[in-house]
Amino acid sequence: MRMNQNIAISETGFLFNPSTGESFTLNPVGLKLISYYKEGLNDDEIISRMQEEYQVEEREISRDLLDFKNVLKHYLLVDNND
Amino acid sequence: MTKPTLNIGVTGLNAIDSPGPGVPVIRALKEATSFNVRIIGLAYESLEPGIYMHNLVDKSYMIPYPTEGTDALLSRLEYIHSCEKLDVIIPNFDAELYSFMKLEKKLLAMDIHMFLPTFEQFEERHKVNLSDFGKKYGIDVPFGKAISDPHDLRDLEDEFDYPVMIKGKWYDAYVAHNIEQARSYFSKITAKWGYPVVVQKFVQGTEYNVIGLGDGKGNMLAAVPMRKQFITDKGKAWAGISIEDKKLIALTEKFISSTKWRGAFELELMKTSDNIYYLMEINPRIPAWVYLAVGVGQNIPEALVHLALGNDVAPLPAYDVGKLFIRYSYDLIVDRSEFENLSVNGEL
């Protein structure tokens, strides 16, 4: 999944979409997920990293990741092709 | 090289919850890099705060309301010109524009310059004619009709579903959820702004505005789109952020090139959930949030002055995205004698 090119994300988790003027605040987990996507990790790799870090079941992480991606899509923050 | 000092008359010095653009226009002119200014405030009411902002306004004069006719306005401007030698006037109210447009040639003969839309541009973009405007130029506008009889509201029920927008000819707009509310708003608006009243399809969405400047030949010299971040109960932006949206810029370019718009303007748009922009209104003058454009790198009032003086103006540089304006109110403490001077003598 790729974030839209012009989206600005600060280290504090503040996300600004210059096309729409909308801004969002990511919690630490959301910020971490975005940073994994920016590293180029795919969903499976992200799930495995999160499992190591948070000791949570794969199913739960998969579901939360899907929710998170849907939110990003809803707010037009990711490329439509993803 | 020394910069020239221009005497510029500016209206719209009021600052209620739907503030006039005069004070931010003056701030922009004070920051102009290509000329110095002496600001002559032109006020309709003695309590317009800009009159008393002596750091911004050098001298103020009362001018007659448009309802008193253009002869009264011309006569007053002749007097003011004899005292101040005005170089440029920037009118900032929709309701006064017609008078200034009518006087444009006479004022030019007095060497007072303006850069205003043509009568045709002014009329065809009027909210009363906006539906036809959209069809003519292929721009999405919500369906609307102008009515002068409240009984027509009942007839319109075949063409509109509630809620609908009920809008005044010049200012004010309300959302009516049923015929009773529509009638009530019709009366409220006509009592204040006269006839007709515009009934417009309600569009749900997010509000965006664009401030722009056209050179009258179809070229876009400036454009800054803004998303409203905080909206008052009057629908006015109390905070907003500059954005970068190619669709909005393209729409603005289309508006300017197809109408050959002359002067400054504001486009009011609604973006629906399926990302369609509907043009809700075109204001034929500088909006009150103009200082955001200045703050992000486009001094539109400065460019407007050059256009008025017949100087060549190149498109303004790219603007900064992601900067906010946040409006605030501020209490001036004014000695009674100043208020008295203005009230008695009509100038301060």
Side-chain angles (χ1 to χ4, degrees):
Chain A
M1 190 186 72
R2 279 168 303 174
M3 300 294 291
N4 273 338
Q5 278 184 346
N6 52 358
I7 303 285
I9 306 166
S10 74
E11 289 173 1
T12 59
F14 186 81
L15 188 153
F16 174 63
N17 183 349
S19 300
T20 63
E22 289 172 311
S23 53
F24 307 87
T25 309
L26 295 163
N27 65 18
V29 179
L31 186 58
K32 185 151 281 180
L33 291 172
I34 296 279
S35 71
Y36 288 152
Y37 280 122
K38 283 171 95 176
E39 278 180 42
L41 271 55
N42 63 30
D43 287 0
D44 291 339
E45 289 167 328
I46 290 176
I47 289 165
S48 123
R49 285 259 192 113
M50 295 299 276
Q51 265 186 297
E52 285 168 24
E53 207 159 334
Y54 292 98
Q55 290 86 45
V56 183
E57 280 186 31
E58 183 187 339
R59 222 176 77 188
E60 196 175 338
I61 296 177
S62 298
R63 198 186 55 216
D64 288 351
L65 186 61
L66 184 66
D67 283 350
F68 184 63
K69 285 168 67 176
N70 284 337
V71 170
L72 294 178
K73 278 180 189 163
H74 176 75
Y75 288 111
L76 307 174
L77 299 172
V78 289
D79 276 355
N80 283 338
N81 298 330
D82 290 304
Chain B
M1 201 172 81
T2 54
K3 290 191 283 184
T5 297
L6 301 174
N7 297 322
I8 303 181
V10 178
T11 69
L13 305 180
N14 64 322
I16 49 169
D17 50 355
S18 173
V23 170
V25 164
I26 294 166
R27 286 182 73 196
L29 295 174
K30 290 275 183 187
E31 291 178 24
T33 54
S34 53
F35 51 74
N36 297 316
V37 284
R38 185 162 184 277
I39 298 293
I40 313 303
L42 305 173
Y44 293 99
E45 293 284 344
S46 52
L47 284 176
E48 293 182 21
I51 298 166
Y52 305 96
M53 295 179 178
H54 302 307
N55 56 330
L56 293 175
V57 179
D58 297 282
K59 182 85 193 258
S60 288
Y61 293 86
M62 299 295 287
I63 57 171
Y65 272 106
T67 46
E68 292 185 38
T70 49
D71 288 345
L73 178 62
L74 180 62
S75 160
R76 184 63 176 157
L77 290 175
E78 281 170 342
Y79 167 73
I80 296 168
H81 189 50
S82 72
C83 305
E84 306 295 342
K85 201 195 166 310
L86 292 165
D87 295 299
V88 174
I89 294 178
I90 303 181
N92 287 306
F93 285 129
D94 297 20
E96 71 184 2
L97 268 184
Y98 201 82
S99 307
F100 278 98
M101 284 158 60
K102 275 178 86 172
L103 292 177
E104 193 166 15
K105 281 185 184 156
K106 285 183 180 167
L107 293 178
L108 187 60
M110 292 157 59
D111 217 17
I112 301 174
H113 302 258
M114 297 186 291
F115 198 73
L116 303 176
T118 65
F119 282 105
E120 190 189 353
Q121 290 168 345
F122 183 80
E123 282 303 324
E124 74 173 358
R125 64 80 237 173
H126 201 289
K127 63 181 98 172
V128 171
N129 305 317
L130 194 64
S131 280
D132 294 336
F133 180 91
K135 279 181 205 150
K136 181 175 174 185
Y137 295 111
I139 294 174
D140 289 323
V141 302
F143 177 64
K145 269 201 165 175
I147 59 168
S148 296
D149 184 338
H151 293 103
D152 291 344
L153 286 167
R154 181 66 75 188
D155 301 335
L156 287 180
E157 287 188 318
D158 295 337
E159 297 176 79
F160 290 92
D161 291 321
Y162 284 99
V164 295
M165 295 299 298
I166 307 287
K167 294 182 160 186
K169 186 180 177 186
W170 299 115
Y171 303 101
D172 281 351
Y174 300 95
V175 183
H177 294 269
N178 52 50
I179 185 109
E180 285 75 27
Q181 284 183 349
R183 281 193 187 121
S184 161
Y185 292 139
F186 182 96
S187 306
K188 195 171 175 178
I189 286 171
T190 51
K192 199 168 174 187
W193 300 113
Y195 298 91
V197 160
V198 178
V199 182
Q200 194 181 58
K201 184 185 168 194
F202 178 78
V203 179
Q204 183 81 45
T206 308
E207 291 185 51
Y208 290 84
N209 287 1
V210 183
I211 179 174
L213 181 65
D215 68 354
K217 298 170 191 160
N219 301 308
M220 184 171 84
L221 301 180
V224 177
M226 175 272 286
R227 175 195 160 102
K228 291 184 181 181
Q229 296 285 87
F230 186 91
I231 302 173
T232 68
D233 57 359
K234 285 248 169 91
K236 302 295 163 190
W238 213 249
I241 190 164
S242 61
I243 63 161
E244 179 184 39
D245 187 331
K246 289 185 179 120
K247 261 172 113 174
L248 271 182
I249 295 293
L251 195 151
T252 306
E253 268 188 314
K254 183 177 181 181
F255 163 71
I256 291 176
S257 64
S258 52
T259 61
K260 296 198 167 27
W261 189 264
R262 192 172 186 273
F265 63 88
E266 178 193 34
L267 304 181
E268 295 187 10
L269 300 121
M270 193 70 84
K271 187 182 183 184
T272 59
S273 56
D274 45 357
N275 291 320
I276 295 172
Y277 281 108
Y278 283 91
L279 183 59
M280 309 301 289
E281 268 183 39
I282 303 165
N283 294 316
R285 39 91 192 148
I286 295 174
W289 58 275
V290 58
Y291 196 72
L292 175 66
V294 182
V296 298
Q298 296 198 348
N299 194 328
I300 290 175
E302 181 179 10
L304 183 69
V305 167
H306 282 295
L307 288 170
L309 293 171
N311 300 334
D312 286 334
V313 177
L316 301 190
Y319 59 89
D320 296 335
V321 173
K323 280 205 174 164
L324 293 120
F325 80 88
I326 300 170
R327 191 167 284 164
Y328 69 105
S329 62
Y330 185 93
D331 297 346
L332 292 170
I333 304 302
V334 175
D335 196 89
R336 191 197 64 211
S337 62
E338 293 199 6
F339 179 62
E340 183 183 319
N341 260 339
L342 184 80
S343 303
V344 174
N345 302 320
E347 56 190 86
L348 180 67

